Amino acid sequence: MGTTARKIALLLMALTLAACQRSVPPVQFHAQGLPQKLSDWQVLVNDGRTLRLNGGVQPFDLNTPLFSDYAHKLRTVWLPPGSSARYEADKAFDFPVGTIISKTFYFPLPAGKGWDGKSVARTDPAESLVKAGQLDLSQVRLIETRLLVRRSEGWIALPYVWNEAQTEATLMRIGALIPLELVAADGTRETADYQVPDQNQCASCHNTDNLARALQPIGPKARHLNRDYDYAGGRENQLAHWSRLGLLSGAPEPAQAPRAAATHDRTAALDARARAYLDINCGHCHSAKGPANTSGLSLDVATDPGIHFGFCKQPVAAGKGTGNRLYDIKPGDAAGSVLLYRMESDDPAVMMPELGRSVMHAEGVKLISEWVDAQKGDCSL
């Protein structure tokens, strides 16, 4: 298809989508209360065949996503018309009251098969199945949609679980446990007890500052968003796109903004990929102000590699939590490091992260193992 034909096709797609959206009620921000249905917010539109974004809702993605039992994620943000978020170089952007951030967790279905009640495909979570802002419901299984809503008194987290018919999601403040079977490309199967967090568990991760004791977004930070995205109208850097639409104020040109590596990008340096993985998966808790600061272990991108980053640091935990390893990170010896022991475990009393997974992230373990084995140092000195 030539450039002109492609532009015409994209324009027709956009016009068709706009025509469909005119018949859908606009996004509804609820300043109070706990709406029981996801559709009460009108952020996402489900017609039984596709899940798409309502008018004014913007999709986004992260350079390196948080691992969640191999779930894929459709992330969106909606800001009240005429408002914008304030750019922060290192922290989550400062979003205005009325902001709704959504994250829909879904799995692709095994090739050539429909939903059998448990089987989903285990594929790379970085590979989005969102096309032109839509998910084809014949190809995926929706599990849950989490909302992070900015009210006048602060952020509130609301977990919604999709029904069997895939037509609606209902608020589940107590969370849910959903048994799944992950099917790999080679046919091997693995049981996953997928956990939808309860409202308090949402706070345990999103309370990134123990002093403030308030929920905050984790993903919408410059370093995570500084990447290209395939929008319905074409490919564009997300920071530039948000700035152009007036959704973000004060942002520099993308080349001047921080950027985290994508862990699946083999052209990026091993150190950059490993640090990005630890930052998004561990750094919101393991930081100077995070909920895990009593451990003395900081894994966020701001921490210099040294004892506070775990190098030759003896763990606070003892016994079962250490696997009898002496150091959080033992340079040159991944097998002898507590960090890898806890990443490899699926025992709730041992594993890290504590929430958000029931199976080991094999690719993540491989990456961090290679990185630790490449480190130089001698803890006996």
Side-chain angles (χ1 to χ4, degrees):
M1 182 184 294
T3 301
T4 301
R6 185 180 297 109
K7 288 182 177 178
I8 293 174
L10 288 172
L11 177 60
L12 290 174
M13 185 183 300
L15 291 173
T16 301
L17 182 59
C20 292
Q21 289 176 335
R22 280 195 290 270
S23 64
V24 175
V27 173
Q28 179 62 55
F29 170 71
H30 297 272
Q32 296 179 332
L34 301 171
Q36 294 301 297
K37 303 296 182 184
L38 181 63
S39 58
D40 292 335
W41 298 89
Q42 290 294 331
V43 171
L44 302 172
V45 179
N46 186 329
D47 63 7
R49 299 182 302 277
T50 62
L51 184 73
R52 70 176 191 271
L53 282 54
N54 205 346
V57 179
Q58 290 295 320
F60 69 92
D61 218 336
L62 311 182
N63 280 312
T64 289
L66 176 73
F67 176 73
S68 308
D69 278 350
Y70 289 97
H72 295 236
K73 299 161 190 176
L74 165 61
R75 299 174 177 84
T76 75
V77 63
W78 180 85
L79 275 65
S83 67
S84 63
R86 189 176 72 239
Y87 176 85
E88 299 277 359
D90 301 314
K91 301 184 295 184
F93 298 156
D94 185 9
F95 290 93
V97 171
T99 298
I100 305 172
I101 298 173
S102 82
K103 183 162 60 171
T104 297
F105 295 69
Y106 67 92
F107 288 88
L109 295 174
K113 297 182 179 179
W115 173 242
D116 64 3
K118 63 177 182 178
S119 299
V120 294
R122 174 184 150 170
T123 58
D124 183 355
E127 295 178 1
S128 176
L129 299 182
V130 181
K131 306 298 181 185
Q134 298 185 2
L135 277 174
D136 182 348
L137 297 182
S138 69
Q139 302 296 316
V140 303
R141 185 69 186 176
L142 305 175
I143 303 297
E144 60 163 324
T145 295
R146 302 177 194 173
L147 297 186
L148 198 59
V149 178
R150 179 70 186 272
R151 291 176 168 172
S152 58
E153 63 273 20
W155 291 95
I156 180 174
L158 300 170
Y160 291 85
V161 178
W162 285 92
N163 61 12
E164 184 67 20
Q166 301 280 272
T167 55
E168 180 64 276
T170 303
L171 181 64
M172 294 291 288
R173 296 181 65 194
I174 61 172
L177 190 64
I178 301 174
L180 297 173
E181 189 173 57
L182 305 177
V183 183
D186 62 3
T188 57
R189 295 171 180 265
E190 181 179 17
T191 298
D193 294 321
Y194 183 96
Q195 183 179 7
V196 177
D198 64 39
Q199 214 165 1
N200 290 332
Q201 289 172 323
C202 289
S204 69
C205 284
H206 284 275
N207 173 27
T208 57
D209 187 335
N210 266 349
L211 296 177
R213 306 298 288 177
L215 273 66
Q216 293 290 335
I218 295 173
K221 299 175 183 175
R223 61 184 179 273
H224 302 316
L225 293 174
N226 193 1
R227 53 162 287 173
D228 289 349
Y229 188 90
D230 289 319
Y231 296 98
R235 191 170 179 83
E236 187 176 9
N237 179 276
Q238 292 182 136
L239 296 181
H241 182 79
W242 286 26
S243 296
R244 182 173 61 79
L245 296 181
L247 301 176
L248 183 62
S249 62
E253 291 296 318
Q256 277 69 58
R259 181 182 183 275
T263 55
H264 61 276
D265 179 8
R266 301 294 296 187
T267 66
L270 174 61
D271 186 72
R273 293 165 56 223
R275 290 296 302 265
Y277 184 89
L278 293 172
D279 182 45
I280 193 65
N281 282 280
C282 316
H284 50 277
C285 285
H286 282 278
S287 66
K289 296 182 179 179
N293 64 350
T294 55
S295 70
L297 177 65
S298 294
L299 296 171
D300 61 324
V301 73
T303 303
D304 291 329
I307 191 166
H308 291 297
F309 202 79
F311 284 67
C312 297
K313 174 190 166 300
Q314 294 185 334
V316 172
K320 187 176 182 179
T322 68
N324 295 317
R325 285 132 175 102
L326 297 178
Y327 305 105
D328 287 342
I329 297 177
K330 186 178 180 182
D333 185 5
S337 300
V338 177
L339 177 64
L340 269 301
Y341 171 69
R342 304 193 80 169
M343 285 181 63
E344 291 172 341
S345 177
D346 59 6
D347 181 344
V350 174
M351 69 182 191
M352 285 289 173
E354 295 175 310
L355 300 173
R357 74 173 181 91
S358 64
V359 302
M360 182 186 76
H361 186 198
E363 295 79 6
V365 167
K366 182 175 184 295
L367 169 65
I368 302 304
S369 292
E370 291 176 355
W371 174 72
V372 172
D373 283 340
Q375 301 308 302
K376 306 297 182 183
D378 187 347
C379 296
S380 64
L381 298 179

